[in-house]
Amino acid sequence: MKRILLIGLAVLATVACKKITPEQRIDEISGFFNGRECAHAAWLESHDASKRIDYLTLNLAKTLKADDLWTLEGGGGTSLIAEFEGRTGDKNKEPEMTMITAALDDPAACSAALDILEAFRELKIQHKNTIRVAFYEPSADTTGLTGLGAINREFRESEELIVFDLALSSRDTTVAPHTFVLEEKPLFVRQMLEVVPPYFKSLGDYKFVQGTYPNRTWPLMGSVYRYKVDPADLAKETAAVTVLTYLLN
C-alpha cells in the first residue's frame, strides 16, 4: 500500500484534482495555522497534570467528534485513545490505520496532535486511513514508553496493524529541529525523498532523513515518523506535521 501512496502523490504533483489540488490544500492548512494561538498547550501547561485526560477527552468527544474514544490502563497509568474512521470509498475494503502519538506529560506534543485533528475537521479534509491518536502514559519507568507498550499489546490482541506512527515530541534530543526522521525501509525513504519534500517548500526549510529501521526500542510495531515540535513556534510546527499527515492519509 505504501508504494501506491507514493504513486498517488506523484500523480497529484502533476494532475489537478477535480475539487482541490494538494498545493491548494496545503495553502489552506498554512492559512489555518497562520497567527493561530495554540491554546491547548497553554491550558495543559497551566493546569494540574491529573486533569489532562479530562481536558483531552472533552475536546476529542465534543469538539472533534471522535468516532470512538477510550482509556487504557497499563504501564503504571492511564492512556487515552481516540479514533477517526477513514473513508476508502469502497464498502468492501477496510481502511488501513495510522497513528499519531504524544506523551501525556508533553503539553506541546499533545497540543499539536489535537490541532492536527482540528485542522482536518475545520478544513473538511477527508482521509482514507483511519486515524488513531494516542495520548500515552509515559512515566512508569526510565524509558517513558510503558504506556505505548500497553497500547501495542492491545493492538496485537485485536490483530490490528498500523501503517505508520507519527510520533510527536517536544523533548526528543535525537531529532534535529525542522527535521522529519523516517524510521522506514530505506528504499521507501528514498522514494519519499523524491516525492514529499517539494510540498513543504512553501512552509519553510524542512528536512527528511533516514532513521533506524526497524527501531526495536519503540513499542508500537511498524514504521515511525518522528518530529520534534518547537513549543516557541507551535503554530508553524503544527502546520508542518498536519501537511505530512494529510499527504500520508
Side-chain angles (χ1 to χ4, degrees):
M1 291 304 296
K2 291 179 179 178
R3 304 300 176 267
I4 295 174
L5 178 151
L6 285 170
I7 293 170
L9 288 175
V11 171
L12 287 174
T14 56
V15 180
C17 297
K18 292 182 179 179
K19 295 182 179 180
I20 187 170
T21 67
E23 291 80 6
Q24 289 171 330
R25 181 64 84 188
I26 289 168
D27 285 344
E28 285 185 352
I29 292 171
S30 180
F32 178 83
F33 286 104
N34 186 27
R36 181 180 175 84
E37 179 184 359
C38 295
H40 297 306
W43 195 100
L44 292 167
E45 288 174 350
S46 62
H47 288 75
D48 187 86
S50 63
K51 298 179 180 179
R52 286 177 181 166
I53 285 185
D54 291 338
Y55 176 83
L56 293 168
T57 299
L58 181 65
N59 278 274
L60 290 163
K62 300 194 74 173
T63 304
L64 296 170
K65 310 295 184 185
D67 294 300
D68 201 359
L69 183 64
W70 68 97
T71 56
L72 177 65
E73 301 296 329
T78 303
S79 298
L80 177 66
I81 306 170
E83 181 170 289
F84 299 82
E85 293 179 359
R87 302 288 185 270
T88 64
D90 184 349
K91 294 181 179 180
N92 298 317
K93 184 178 181 181
E94 284 290 326
E96 294 188 302
M97 184 173 68
T98 61
M99 292 285 296
I100 301 172
T101 54
L104 281 166
D105 66 347
D106 190 338
C110 290
S111 175
L114 278 182
D115 279 327
I116 290 171
L117 299 169
E118 285 188 4
F120 269 62
R121 182 169 179 82
E122 292 297 321
L123 298 175
K124 296 180 173 58
I125 299 174
Q126 296 185 1
H127 48 95
K128 291 184 178 181
N129 289 358
T130 290
I131 298 176
R132 262 188 203 174
V133 58
F135 302 93
Y136 61 91
E137 166 57 44
S139 58
D141 66 14
T142 56
T143 69
L145 300 175
T146 47
L148 270 184
I151 292 170
N152 185 59
R153 287 192 293 274
E154 182 187 59
F155 287 3
R156 292 182 68 179
E157 289 172 1
S158 302
E159 297 184 347
E160 294 177 310
L161 298 175
I162 63 172
V163 178
F164 69 88
D165 170 25
L166 177 60
L168 302 174
S169 171
S170 67
R171 300 188 295 258
D172 189 344
T173 58
T174 67
V175 179
H178 305 140
T179 301
F180 290 93
V181 177
L182 310 177
E183 295 177 354
E184 177 65 272
K185 295 178 181 178
L187 176 60
F188 185 66
V189 171
R190 289 196 295 271
Q191 293 172 330
M192 281 192 71
L193 292 178
E194 295 177 1
V195 176
V196 173
Y199 287 107
F200 282 77
K201 287 184 177 179
S202 63
L203 301 175
D205 185 18
Y206 291 92
K207 298 178 181 178
F208 296 79
V209 299
Q210 173 75 57
T212 302
Y213 181 83
N215 184 348
R216 303 191 187 282
T217 66
W218 193 247
L220 290 183
M221 304 299 291
S223 302
V224 185
Y225 303 156
R226 299 186 184 281
Y227 191 79
K228 180 181 179 181
V229 296
D230 181 0
D233 198 6
L234 198 52
K236 183 178 180 181
E237 294 283 80
T238 307
V241 292
T242 301
V243 167
L244 185 64
T245 306
Y246 158 66
L247 291 173
L248 294 175
N249 284 285

